[in-house]
Amino acid sequence: MLLLTLLLTVFFGWGLGSRALWQPDEGRYVEIPREMTVTGDYVTPRLNGVKYFEKPVLFYWLQAGAIKVFGISEWAMRLWPATFALIGCLAVYVAGRKLYDRRTGLIAAVVLATAPLHYFLGRAVTLDMAVSALLAVALFAFLLGTREPPGSARRNYFWTFYACAALATLTKGLIGMVIPALVIGAWILILNEWRLLKSIYLPSGLALFLLIAAPWHIAAARANPEFAHFYFIHEHFQRYLTKVHGRYEPAWFFIPVLLAGFYPWTAYLTQAVVKSWPASWQARHENREGLFLLLWAGLVFAFFSFSDSKLIPYIVPILPPLALLVARYLALHRDSASSAGLRAGTWALLVLGFMLALALVFVPETTPDRPRVAEYAAVFGGYAWLILGSLLATALVPFGVGFLRRPFWTVVALALTSAVFLAVADRGFVFLDHKRSVKELALILKPRLQPGDEVMTYQEYYQDLPVYLERRITVVDWKGELRFGIEAEDVSGWMIDEASFRRRWDGPQRTYLLTGRGNYDKLRAEGRGRFHLLAQTGSNVLVTNRMGQP
């Protein structure tokens, strides 16, 4: 456990601060806790000084703690997501070891760690990795608890389940209750074991759940009369049942997300599911654990597929059970002759890997009319030969140790290759900073700012700008996701309209404006006011109404 923890800590933690905070999510989930530390109000979340009730508060509290200890930096703000990614891997290791054997647990941890969706979300400031890890610990604790005889061990497993479900609820809302209830309810129904409800410490567990999850919800509702309707109705029921958030995608949206997000282990996913599927209705009790994992992955996937609001990270909670299912399948093939499915899947992955690496080498030379694609590929092209070398080593493993006799070594080589590729790809993302962050302009502006200066954005809101400036900014003619908070209280001093912008820009106060090039060109073409260009990066510009030494 110690060795695995150290290795995964290095894997998830190396280079956490290599790129800027990307907007919108990373900027948002740093700015809210930053404002908490400034104001001392840890009940009402605020974004740029505006009430923001879209999510609960636990992750904000954790981030605020990191700010208090380490200050604001990219690596510190990504420390908690990386920690939860580590917790998820350790959870599947412990569960695999206890449900099956140590080998299965180790493979499961490796599979989950090298799944792209898990790895990249573990290095991004979002809520999804936290809720995935908490749900994983909760559901694994429930499953392990059902295997224990009555006593303190069984009680502790179930209390862990209730506590982690409450923490998941406090992280991302009602799905912390809905997903465990959906999976466990379906499992009990299929097994027809309703008597289990008498032995899961339901009264004390619900009391523990409420003790953890309820206080903040009650405090937020008392401090903000408008909280309950927006949080429960708008952000849960309307988000799921309607297209109010403008995130509608077809029902099959998560299929390619899963195929890519669980690559390369998707090659063995079908075999793993078939292996764990009950041979008949009468045989469903013989593999209770496999059935539980299948229901966990399948029902959560279906739950989000039927939602009218879809985003790629939503299905990350299905990766832990899938990792354990695949690990069990691979562990059973460690010393046996390889099946045709295992052999074909491995070679298909190798071929695709070679194609990807070769594309990274040649795309910059063959796309002269697509400079962004060519420039981006050039970043990865520098590492392409490393990827090719790793894939070549993987391909040679079958000849060196005997693929038909020891497929385990091919799996080991595949895991190492995946780890190398993920690390290389993550380092290449820094190239996108100019598109996903205004850090460079913010750092140019920050030393110029004097007391009394005003910073504005025009018809858009850069989520990371107040983070890097460490101050609230004035937003012109934009509401977006802050519409509810703007209407809930008077924030007209810094959430202003076009007319107010014109008055302030033409006034005596020094004002800085950060906006897109299109808006800048429009403002200049109107010929109203002075717009002095200070800096530009990518598609954004920084201008001021007064030149000279600030």
Side-chain angles (χ1 to χ4, degrees):
M1 175 70 92
L2 178 60
L3 179 60
L4 183 63
T5 301
L6 292 174
L7 290 174
L8 290 176
T9 297
V10 173
F11 183 59
F12 288 117
W14 186 264
L16 276 180
S18 60
R19 62 175 175 82
L21 296 171
W22 284 4
Q23 57 168 320
D25 288 350
E26 291 197 305
R28 178 193 307 122
Y29 295 129
V30 173
E31 175 59 16
I32 292 173
R34 187 197 71 80
E35 294 187 31
M36 284 184 168
T37 63
V38 172
T39 64
D41 183 359
Y42 292 90
V43 173
T44 302
R46 293 179 181 273
L47 180 60
N48 199 47
V50 179
K51 289 182 179 181
Y52 190 85
F53 294 134
E54 293 200 6
K55 297 295 184 291
V57 78
L58 177 61
F59 190 76
Y60 305 147
W61 288 346
L62 296 175
Q63 291 288 83
I67 292 173
K68 289 284 190 180
V69 175
F70 303 110
I72 296 179
S73 64
E74 286 88 353
W75 76 267
M77 295 298 93
R78 295 190 181 109
L79 190 59
W80 275 113
T83 300
F84 280 114
L86 170 65
I87 291 172
C89 292
L90 295 180
V92 297
Y93 166 70
V94 172
R97 188 183 65 188
K98 290 184 175 295
L99 293 173
Y100 301 110
D101 52 48
R102 184 166 172 265
R103 178 191 305 165
T104 300
L106 287 171
I107 297 175
V110 170
V111 168
L112 183 60
T114 55
L117 190 57
H118 185 87
Y119 176 79
F120 289 128
L121 286 178
R123 301 174 61 81
V125 187
T126 70
L127 310 180
D128 301 282
M129 184 51 62
V131 77
S132 175
L134 290 169
L135 286 174
V137 175
L139 288 169
F140 282 137
F142 181 92
L143 183 58
L144 293 173
T146 62
R147 294 160 55 92
E148 293 289 332
S152 60
R154 183 183 180 93
R155 182 180 64 248
N156 290 338
Y157 271 123
F158 282 112
W159 281 359
T160 300
F161 160 70
Y162 291 110
C164 287
L167 292 174
T169 301
L170 205 54
T171 300
K172 209 175 180 184
L174 297 182
I175 64 168
M177 296 186 294
V178 172
I179 288 178
L182 185 66
V183 174
I184 294 169
W187 189 60
I188 292 176
L189 176 63
I190 292 174
L191 295 179
N192 194 28
E193 292 191 358
W194 298 101
R195 65 182 183 277
L196 184 62
L197 295 176
K198 298 180 180 179
S199 61
I200 62 174
Y201 299 90
L202 198 57
S204 61
L206 290 177
L208 178 61
F209 179 94
L210 292 174
L211 182 65
I212 295 172
W216 172 77
H217 288 86
I218 295 172
R222 293 185 62 182
N224 306 277
E226 68 279 8
F227 164 78
H229 181 272
F230 180 84
Y231 177 80
F232 289 106
I233 304 301
H234 184 270
E235 281 304 307
H236 285 86
F237 295 103
Q238 289 184 350
R239 176 187 288 266
Y240 185 85
L241 296 173
T242 72
K243 301 178 178 63
V244 65
H245 282 77
R247 296 171 179 169
Y248 175 77
E249 299 290 347
W252 51 262
F253 173 75
F254 288 119
I255 294 177
V257 172
L258 174 60
L259 294 177
F262 200 54
Y263 181 91
W265 310 109
T266 43
Y268 313 112
L269 191 54
T270 301
Q271 301 94 309
V273 169
V274 171
K275 186 72 176 179
S276 300
W277 196 268
S280 65
W281 179 255
Q282 291 72 23
R284 65 192 187 279
H285 290 273
E286 297 175 5
N287 188 10
R288 298 158 52 92
E289 293 81 7
L291 180 61
F292 186 92
L293 298 175
L294 288 171
L295 289 171
W296 177 353
L299 290 176
V300 173
F301 186 87
F303 175 81
F304 287 114
S305 293
F306 285 112
S307 171
D308 280 331
S309 179
K310 298 182 182 72
L311 289 174
I312 288 175
Y314 284 3
I315 63 165
V316 70
I318 76 173
L319 299 185
L322 292 182
L324 194 47
L325 288 170
V326 169
R328 185 56 181 163
Y329 172 77
L330 295 175
L332 291 175
H333 283 78
R334 180 179 187 272
D335 299 310
S336 61
S338 173
S339 67
L342 183 62
R343 184 169 60 251
T346 302
W347 283 113
L349 291 172
L350 291 173
V351 170
L352 290 174
F354 273 111
M355 292 174 61
L356 172 62
L358 291 171
L360 294 177
V361 174
F362 294 109
V363 162
E365 300 176 5
T366 58
T367 56
D369 297 328
R370 300 175 64 189
R372 288 295 179 204
V373 174
E375 197 176 8
Y376 184 58
V379 174
F380 290 111
Y383 300 99
W385 297 110
L386 176 62
I387 300 172
L388 276 172
S390 300
L391 287 165
L392 182 61
T394 306
L396 291 177
V397 166
F399 301 101
V401 299
F403 181 70
L404 295 177
R405 295 190 305 275
R406 299 296 298 271
F408 174 75
W409 291 109
T410 296
V411 174
V412 170
L414 187 61
L416 291 174
T417 302
S418 300
V420 169
F421 178 76
L422 292 174
V424 169
D426 182 74
R427 299 307 179 273
F429 286 152
V430 69
F431 175 75
L432 296 178
D433 280 357
H434 70 284
K435 293 186 63 178
R436 302 297 302 272
S437 173
V438 294
K439 177 182 179 179
E440 186 174 348
L441 291 176
L443 295 184
I444 293 173
L445 172 60
K446 191 172 183 179
R448 300 178 62 95
L449 291 175
Q450 299 293 321
D453 291 350
E454 187 170 16
V455 179
M456 296 182 175
T457 62
Y458 183 81
Q459 293 186 348
E460 49 195 317
Y461 173 56
Y462 301 96
Q463 302 268 10
D464 56 331
L465 182 60
V467 175
Y468 286 115
L469 295 182
E470 297 186 64
R471 60 181 286 173
R472 190 183 66 200
I473 63 175
T474 299
V475 180
V476 180
D477 197 20
W478 183 93
K479 293 183 178 181
E481 61 186 309
L482 297 180
R483 181 178 299 276
F484 170 79
I486 292 172
E487 296 171 353
E489 62 181 348
D490 182 16
V491 292
S492 58
W494 63 94
M495 304 296 293
I496 65 176
D497 57 17
E498 181 83 18
S500 298
F501 162 70
R502 295 292 181 179
R503 287 194 300 270
R504 295 190 190 185
W505 191 260
D506 294 332
Q509 183 180 19
R510 186 185 302 276
T511 303
Y512 296 94
L513 178 68
L514 199 154
T515 190
R517 177 166 294 278
N519 286 331
Y520 171 61
D521 292 339
K522 182 186 72 172
L523 290 170
R524 290 190 62 196
E526 291 174 355
R528 297 168 57 189
R530 303 173 299 275
F531 295 93
H532 305 289
L533 181 64
L534 296 177
Q536 55 184 318
T537 58
S539 58
N540 299 313
V541 298
L542 174 64
V543 299
T544 182
N545 64 342
R546 295 184 178 277
M547 289 296 289
Q549 191 67 26

mmCIF file with all atom_site columns, all heavy atoms in Angstrom, residues 50-65:
data_model
loop_
_atom_site.group_PDB
_atom_site.id
_atom_site.type_symbol
_atom_site.label_atom_id
_atom_site.label_alt_id
_atom_site.label_comp_id
_atom_site.label_asym_id
_atom_site.label_entity_id
_atom_site.label_seq_id
_atom_site.pdbx_PDB_ins_code
_atom_site.Cartn_x
_atom_site.Cartn_y
_atom_site.Cartn_z
_atom_site.occupancy
_atom_site.B_iso_or_equiv
_atom_site.pdbx_formal_charge
_atom_site.auth_seq_id
_atom_site.auth_comp_id
_atom_site.auth_asym_id
_atom_site.auth_atom_id
_atom_site.pdbx_PDB_model_num
ATOM 1   N N   . VAL A 1 50 ? -20.615 37.798 -6.521  1.00 0.00 ? 50 VAL A N   1
ATOM 2   C CA  . VAL A 1 50 ? -22.007 37.505 -6.832  1.00 0.00 ? 50 VAL A CA  1
ATOM 3   C C   . VAL A 1 50 ? -22.369 36.131 -6.260  1.00 0.00 ? 50 VAL A C   1
ATOM 4   O O   . VAL A 1 50 ? -21.597 35.176 -6.382  1.00 0.00 ? 50 VAL A O   1
ATOM 5   C CB  . VAL A 1 50 ? -22.243 37.519 -8.356  1.00 0.00 ? 50 VAL A CB  1
ATOM 6   C CG1 . VAL A 1 50 ? -23.695 37.186 -8.683  1.00 0.00 ? 50 VAL A CG1 1
ATOM 7   C CG2 . VAL A 1 50 ? -21.859 38.879 -8.929  1.00 0.00 ? 50 VAL A CG2 1
ATOM 8   N N   . LYS A 1 51 ? -23.523 36.014 -5.632  1.00 0.00 ? 51 LYS A N   1
ATOM 9   C CA  . LYS A 1 51 ? -23.951 34.739 -5.060  1.00 0.00 ? 51 LYS A CA  1
ATOM 10  C C   . LYS A 1 51 ? -23.948 33.644 -6.126  1.00 0.00 ? 51 LYS A C   1
ATOM 11  O O   . LYS A 1 51 ? -24.444 33.847 -7.241  1.00 0.00 ? 51 LYS A O   1
ATOM 12  C CB  . LYS A 1 51 ? -25.357 34.870 -4.475  1.00 0.00 ? 51 LYS A CB  1
ATOM 13  C CG  . LYS A 1 51 ? -25.428 35.708 -3.210  1.00 0.00 ? 51 LYS A CG  1
ATOM 14  C CD  . LYS A 1 51 ? -26.850 35.749 -2.654  1.00 0.00 ? 51 LYS A CD  1
ATOM 15  C CE  . LYS A 1 51 ? -26.916 36.557 -1.371  1.00 0.00 ? 51 LYS A CE  1
ATOM 16  N NZ  . LYS A 1 51 ? -28.289 36.597 -0.805  1.00 0.00 ? 51 LYS A NZ  1
ATOM 17  N N   . TYR A 1 52 ? -23.423 32.479 -5.735  1.00 0.00 ? 52 TYR A N   1
ATOM 18  C CA  . TYR A 1 52 ? -23.269 31.391 -6.697  1.00 0.00 ? 52 TYR A CA  1
ATOM 19  C C   . TYR A 1 52 ? -23.648 30.087 -6.000  1.00 0.00 ? 52 TYR A C   1
ATOM 20  O O   . TYR A 1 52 ? -22.875 29.530 -5.219  1.00 0.00 ? 52 TYR A O   1
ATOM 21  C CB  . TYR A 1 52 ? -21.820 31.336 -7.195  1.00 0.00 ? 52 TYR A CB  1
ATOM 22  C CG  . TYR A 1 52 ? -21.607 30.408 -8.361  1.00 0.00 ? 52 TYR A CG  1
ATOM 23  C CD1 . TYR A 1 52 ? -21.833 30.849 -9.665  1.00 0.00 ? 52 TYR A CD1 1
ATOM 24  C CD2 . TYR A 1 52 ? -21.176 29.102 -8.173  1.00 0.00 ? 52 TYR A CD2 1
ATOM 25  C CE1 . TYR A 1 52 ? -21.643 30.000 -10.749 1.00 0.00 ? 52 TYR A CE1 1
ATOM 26  C CE2 . TYR A 1 52 ? -20.976 28.255 -9.242  1.00 0.00 ? 52 TYR A CE2 1
ATOM 27  C CZ  . TYR A 1 52 ? -21.203 28.704 -10.525 1.00 0.00 ? 52 TYR A CZ  1
ATOM 28  O OH  . TYR A 1 52 ? -21.012 27.857 -11.601 1.00 0.00 ? 52 TYR A OH  1
ATOM 29  N N   . PHE A 1 53 ? -24.855 29.601 -6.288  1.00 0.00 ? 53 PHE A N   1
ATOM 30  C CA  . PHE A 1 53 ? -25.396 28.439 -5.594  1.00 0.00 ? 53 PHE A CA  1
ATOM 31  C C   . PHE A 1 53 ? -25.487 27.198 -6.478  1.00 0.00 ? 53 PHE A C   1
ATOM 32  O O   . PHE A 1 53 ? -26.251 26.285 -6.184  1.00 0.00 ? 53 PHE A O   1
ATOM 33  C CB  . PHE A 1 53 ? -26.799 28.755 -5.052  1.00 0.00 ? 53 PHE A CB  1
ATOM 34  C CG  . PHE A 1 53 ? -26.806 29.806 -3.977  1.00 0.00 ? 53 PHE A CG  1
ATOM 35  C CD1 . PHE A 1 53 ? -27.730 30.843 -4.008  1.00 0.00 ? 53 PHE A CD1 1
ATOM 36  C CD2 . PHE A 1 53 ? -25.898 29.764 -2.941  1.00 0.00 ? 53 PHE A CD2 1
ATOM 37  C CE1 . PHE A 1 53 ? -27.739 31.813 -3.027  1.00 0.00 ? 53 PHE A CE1 1
ATOM 38  C CE2 . PHE A 1 53 ? -25.892 30.726 -1.949  1.00 0.00 ? 53 PHE A CE2 1
ATOM 39  C CZ  . PHE A 1 53 ? -26.826 31.755 -1.992  1.00 0.00 ? 53 PHE A CZ  1
ATOM 40  N N   . GLU A 1 54 ? -24.739 27.137 -7.564  1.00 0.00 ? 54 GLU A N   1
ATOM 41  C CA  . GLU A 1 54 ? -24.870 25.994 -8.464  1.00 0.00 ? 54 GLU A CA  1
ATOM 42  C C   . GLU A 1 54 ? -24.359 24.698 -7.841  1.00 0.00 ? 54 GLU A C   1
ATOM 43  O O   . GLU A 1 54 ? -24.781 23.614 -8.213  1.00 0.00 ? 54 GLU A O   1
ATOM 44  C CB  . GLU A 1 54 ? -24.146 26.270 -9.780  1.00 0.00 ? 54 GLU A CB  1
ATOM 45  C CG  . GLU A 1 54 ? -24.799 27.370 -10.600 1.00 0.00 ? 54 GLU A CG  1
ATOM 46  C CD  . GLU A 1 54 ? -24.405 27.322 -12.065 1.00 0.00 ? 54 GLU A CD  1
ATOM 47  O OE1 . GLU A 1 54 ? -23.722 26.364 -12.461 1.00 0.00 ? 54 GLU A OE1 1
ATOM 48  O OE2 . GLU A 1 54 ? -24.789 28.250 -12.803 1.00 0.00 ? 54 GLU A OE2 1
ATOM 49  N N   . LYS A 1 55 ? -23.396 24.795 -6.919  1.00 0.00 ? 55 LYS A N   1
ATOM 50  C CA  . LYS A 1 55 ? -22.822 23.586 -6.312  1.00 0.00 ? 55 LYS A CA  1
ATOM 51  C C   . LYS A 1 55 ? -22.707 23.773 -4.805  1.00 0.00 ? 55 LYS A C   1
ATOM 52  O O   . LYS A 1 55 ? -22.644 24.900 -4.312  1.00 0.00 ? 55 LYS A O   1
ATOM 53  C CB  . LYS A 1 55 ? -21.433 23.309 -6.904  1.00 0.00 ? 55 LYS A CB  1
ATOM 54  C CG  . LYS A 1 55 ? -21.444 23.014 -8.399  1.00 0.00 ? 55 LYS A CG  1
ATOM 55  C CD  . LYS A 1 55 ? -22.181 21.725 -8.693  1.00 0.00 ? 55 LYS A CD  1
ATOM 56  C CE  . LYS A 1 55 ? -22.118 21.378 -10.189 1.00 0.00 ? 55 LYS A CE  1
ATOM 57  N NZ  . LYS A 1 55 ? -22.886 22.307 -11.019 1.00 0.00 ? 55 LYS A NZ  1
ATOM 58  N N   . PRO A 1 56 ? -22.657 22.654 -4.059  1.00 0.00 ? 56 PRO A N   1
ATOM 59  C CA  . PRO A 1 56 ? -22.449 22.746 -2.607  1.00 0.00 ? 56 PRO A CA  1
ATOM 60  C C   . PRO A 1 56 ? -21.048 23.231 -2.269  1.00 0.00 ? 56 PRO A C   1
ATOM 61  O O   . PRO A 1 56 ? -20.282 23.647 -3.149  1.00 0.00 ? 56 PRO A O   1
ATOM 62  C CB  . PRO A 1 56 ? -22.690 21.306 -2.126  1.00 0.00 ? 56 PRO A CB  1
ATOM 63  C CG  . PRO A 1 56 ? -23.376 20.611 -3.244  1.00 0.00 ? 56 PRO A CG  1
ATOM 64  C CD  . PRO A 1 56 ? -22.916 21.287 -4.504  1.00 0.00 ? 56 PRO A CD  1
ATOM 65  N N   . VAL A 1 57 ? -20.676 23.097 -1.015  1.00 0.00 ? 57 VAL A N   1
ATOM 66  C CA  . VAL A 1 57 ? -19.571 23.897 -0.519  1.00 0.00 ? 57 VAL A CA  1
ATOM 67  C C   . VAL A 1 57 ? -18.315 23.118 -0.126  1.00 0.00 ? 57 VAL A C   1
ATOM 68  O O   . VAL A 1 57 ? -17.266 23.729 0.107   1.00 0.00 ? 57 VAL A O   1
ATOM 69  C CB  . VAL A 1 57 ? -20.088 24.716 0.701   1.00 0.00 ? 57 VAL A CB  1
ATOM 70  C CG1 . VAL A 1 57 ? -20.157 23.823 1.942   1.00 0.00 ? 57 VAL A CG1 1
ATOM 71  C CG2 . VAL A 1 57 ? -19.268 25.951 0.948   1.00 0.00 ? 57 VAL A CG2 1
ATOM 72  N N   . LEU A 1 58 ? -18.341 21.788 -0.059  1.00 0.00 ? 58 LEU A N   1
ATOM 73  C CA  . LEU A 1 58 ? -17.205 21.053 0.497   1.00 0.00 ? 58 LEU A CA  1
ATOM 74  C C   . LEU A 1 58 ? -15.910 21.319 -0.269  1.00 0.00 ? 58 LEU A C   1
ATOM 75  O O   . LEU A 1 58 ? -14.856 21.569 0.331   1.00 0.00 ? 58 LEU A O   1
ATOM 76  C CB  . LEU A 1 58 ? -17.503 19.554 0.518   1.00 0.00 ? 58 LEU A CB  1
ATOM 77  C CG  . LEU A 1 58 ? -16.353 18.671 1.021   1.00 0.00 ? 58 LEU A CG  1
ATOM 78  C CD1 . LEU A 1 58 ? -15.976 19.019 2.456   1.00 0.00 ? 58 LEU A CD1 1
ATOM 79  C CD2 . LEU A 1 58 ? -16.701 17.190 0.907   1.00 0.00 ? 58 LEU A CD2 1
ATOM 80  N N   . PHE A 1 59 ? -15.964 21.235 -1.601  1.00 0.00 ? 59 PHE A N   1
ATOM 81  C CA  . PHE A 1 59 ? -14.743 21.432 -2.385  1.00 0.00 ? 59 PHE A CA  1
ATOM 82  C C   . PHE A 1 59 ? -14.201 22.848 -2.206  1.00 0.00 ? 59 PHE A C   1
ATOM 83  O O   . PHE A 1 59 ? -12.991 23.051 -2.177  1.00 0.00 ? 59 PHE A O   1
ATOM 84  C CB  . PHE A 1 59 ? -15.019 21.150 -3.863  1.00 0.00 ? 59 PHE A CB  1
ATOM 85  C CG  . PHE A 1 59 ? -13.776 21.106 -4.703  1.00 0.00 ? 59 PHE A CG  1
ATOM 86  C CD1 . PHE A 1 59 ? -12.936 20.013 -4.677  1.00 0.00 ? 59 PHE A CD1 1
ATOM 87  C CD2 . PHE A 1 59 ? -13.433 22.176 -5.523  1.00 0.00 ? 59 PHE A CD2 1
ATOM 88  C CE1 . PHE A 1 59 ? -11.778 19.966 -5.453  1.00 0.00 ? 59 PHE A CE1 1
ATOM 89  C CE2 . PHE A 1 59 ? -12.286 22.155 -6.297  1.00 0.00 ? 59 PHE A CE2 1
ATOM 90  C CZ  . PHE A 1 59 ? -11.458 21.034 -6.260  1.00 0.00 ? 59 PHE A CZ  1
ATOM 91  N N   . TYR A 1 60 ? -15.089 23.837 -2.064  1.00 0.00 ? 60 TYR A N   1
ATOM 92  C CA  . TYR A 1 60 ? -14.638 25.200 -1.812  1.00 0.00 ? 60 TYR A CA  1
ATOM 93  C C   . TYR A 1 60 ? -13.880 25.283 -0.489  1.00 0.00 ? 60 TYR A C   1
ATOM 94  O O   . TYR A 1 60 ? -12.862 25.969 -0.388  1.00 0.00 ? 60 TYR A O   1
ATOM 95  C CB  . TYR A 1 60 ? -15.825 26.174 -1.768  1.00 0.00 ? 60 TYR A CB  1
ATOM 96  C CG  . TYR A 1 60 ? -16.714 26.160 -2.982  1.00 0.00 ? 60 TYR A CG  1
ATOM 97  C CD1 . TYR A 1 60 ? -18.078 26.407 -2.871  1.00 0.00 ? 60 TYR A CD1 1
ATOM 98  C CD2 . TYR A 1 60 ? -16.206 25.918 -4.248  1.00 0.00 ? 60 TYR A CD2 1
ATOM 99  C CE1 . TYR A 1 60 ? -18.914 26.422 -3.971  1.00 0.00 ? 60 TYR A CE1 1
ATOM 100 C CE2 . TYR A 1 60 ? -17.028 25.912 -5.365  1.00 0.00 ? 60 TYR A CE2 1
ATOM 101 C CZ  . TYR A 1 60 ? -18.387 26.171 -5.219  1.00 0.00 ? 60 TYR A CZ  1
ATOM 102 O OH  . TYR A 1 60 ? -19.206 26.168 -6.316  1.00 0.00 ? 60 TYR A OH  1
ATOM 103 N N   . TRP A 1 61 ? -14.396 24.594 0.526   1.00 0.00 ? 61 TRP A N   1
ATOM 104 C CA  . TRP A 1 61 ? -13.722 24.605 1.828   1.00 0.00 ? 61 TRP A CA  1
ATOM 105 C C   . TRP A 1 61 ? -12.333 23.982 1.730   1.00 0.00 ? 61 TRP A C   1
ATOM 106 O O   . TRP A 1 61 ? -11.374 24.499 2.305   1.00 0.00 ? 61 TRP A O   1
ATOM 107 C CB  . TRP A 1 61 ? -14.554 23.842 2.858   1.00 0.00 ? 61 TRP A CB  1
ATOM 108 C CG  . TRP A 1 61 ? -15.801 24.553 3.281   1.00 0.00 ? 61 TRP A CG  1
ATOM 109 C CD1 . TRP A 1 61 ? -16.120 25.862 3.061   1.00 0.00 ? 61 TRP A CD1 1
ATOM 110 C CD2 . TRP A 1 61 ? -16.904 23.980 3.986   1.00 0.00 ? 61 TRP A CD2 1
ATOM 111 N NE1 . TRP A 1 61 ? -17.362 26.145 3.589   1.00 0.00 ? 61 TRP A NE1 1
ATOM 112 C CE2 . TRP A 1 61 ? -17.864 25.018 4.166   1.00 0.00 ? 61 TRP A CE2 1
ATOM 113 C CE3 . TRP A 1 61 ? -17.191 22.718 4.487   1.00 0.00 ? 61 TRP A CE3 1
ATOM 114 C CZ2 . TRP A 1 61 ? -19.065 24.809 4.835   1.00 0.00 ? 61 TRP A CZ2 1
ATOM 115 C CZ3 . TRP A 1 61 ? -18.391 22.507 5.153   1.00 0.00 ? 61 TRP A CZ3 1
ATOM 116 C CH2 . TRP A 1 61 ? -19.323 23.541 5.320   1.00 0.00 ? 61 TRP A CH2 1
ATOM 117 N N   . LEU A 1 62 ? -12.236 22.877 1.005   1.00 0.00 ? 62 LEU A N   1
ATOM 118 C CA  . LEU A 1 62 ? -10.932 22.233 0.853   1.00 0.00 ? 62 LEU A CA  1
ATOM 119 C C   . LEU A 1 62 ? -9.957  23.150 0.120   1.00 0.00 ? 62 LEU A C   1
ATOM 120 O O   . LEU A 1 62 ? -8.776  23.269 0.500   1.00 0.00 ? 62 LEU A O   1
ATOM 121 C CB  . LEU A 1 62 ? -11.085 20.914 0.094   1.00 0.00 ? 62 LEU A CB  1
ATOM 122 C CG  . LEU A 1 62 ? -11.913 19.820 0.786   1.00 0.00 ? 62 LEU A CG  1
ATOM 123 C CD1 . LEU A 1 62 ? -12.077 18.616 -0.138  1.00 0.00 ? 62 LEU A CD1 1
ATOM 124 C CD2 . LEU A 1 62 ? -11.276 19.397 2.095   1.00 0.00 ? 62 LEU A CD2 1
ATOM 125 N N   . GLN A 1 63 ? -10.424 23.799 -0.927  1.00 0.00 ? 63 GLN A N   1
ATOM 126 C CA  . GLN A 1 63 ? -9.580  24.724 -1.680  1.00 0.00 ? 63 GLN A CA  1
ATOM 127 C C   . GLN A 1 63 ? -9.186  25.926 -0.822  1.00 0.00 ? 63 GLN A C   1
ATOM 128 O O   . GLN A 1 63 ? -8.048  26.410 -0.902  1.00 0.00 ? 63 GLN A O   1
ATOM 129 C CB  . GLN A 1 63 ? -10.301 25.198 -2.941  1.00 0.00 ? 63 GLN A CB  1
ATOM 130 C CG  . GLN A 1 63 ? -10.485 24.122 -4.006  1.00 0.00 ? 63 GLN A CG  1
ATOM 131 C CD  . GLN A 1 63 ? -9.182  23.768 -4.694  1.00 0.00 ? 63 GLN A CD  1
ATOM 132 O OE1 . GLN A 1 63 ? -8.398  22.969 -4.188  1.00 0.00 ? 63 GLN A OE1 1
ATOM 133 N NE2 . GLN A 1 63 ? -8.933  24.372 -5.835  1.00 0.00 ? 63 GLN A NE2 1
ATOM 134 N N   . ALA A 1 64 ? -10.121 26.404 -0.026  1.00 0.00 ? 64 ALA A N   1
ATOM 135 C CA  . ALA A 1 64 ? -9.805  27.529 0.858   1.00 0.00 ? 64 ALA A CA  1
ATOM 136 C C   . ALA A 1 64 ? -8.723  27.135 1.850   1.00 0.00 ? 64 ALA A C   1
ATOM 137 O O   . ALA A 1 64 ? -7.825  27.932 2.165   1.00 0.00 ? 64 ALA A O   1
ATOM 138 C CB  . ALA A 1 64 ? -11.061 27.987 1.593   1.00 0.00 ? 64 ALA A CB  1
ATOM 139 N N   . GLY A 1 65 ? -8.776  25.898 2.348   1.00 0.00 ? 65 GLY A N   1
ATOM 140 C CA  . GLY A 1 65 ? -7.730  25.425 3.235   1.00 0.00 ? 65 GLY A CA  1
ATOM 141 C C   . GLY A 1 65 ? -6.380  25.384 2.551   1.00 0.00 ? 65 GLY A C   1
ATOM 142 O O   . GLY A 1 65 ? -5.352  25.762 3.141   1.00 0.00 ? 65 GLY A O   1
#
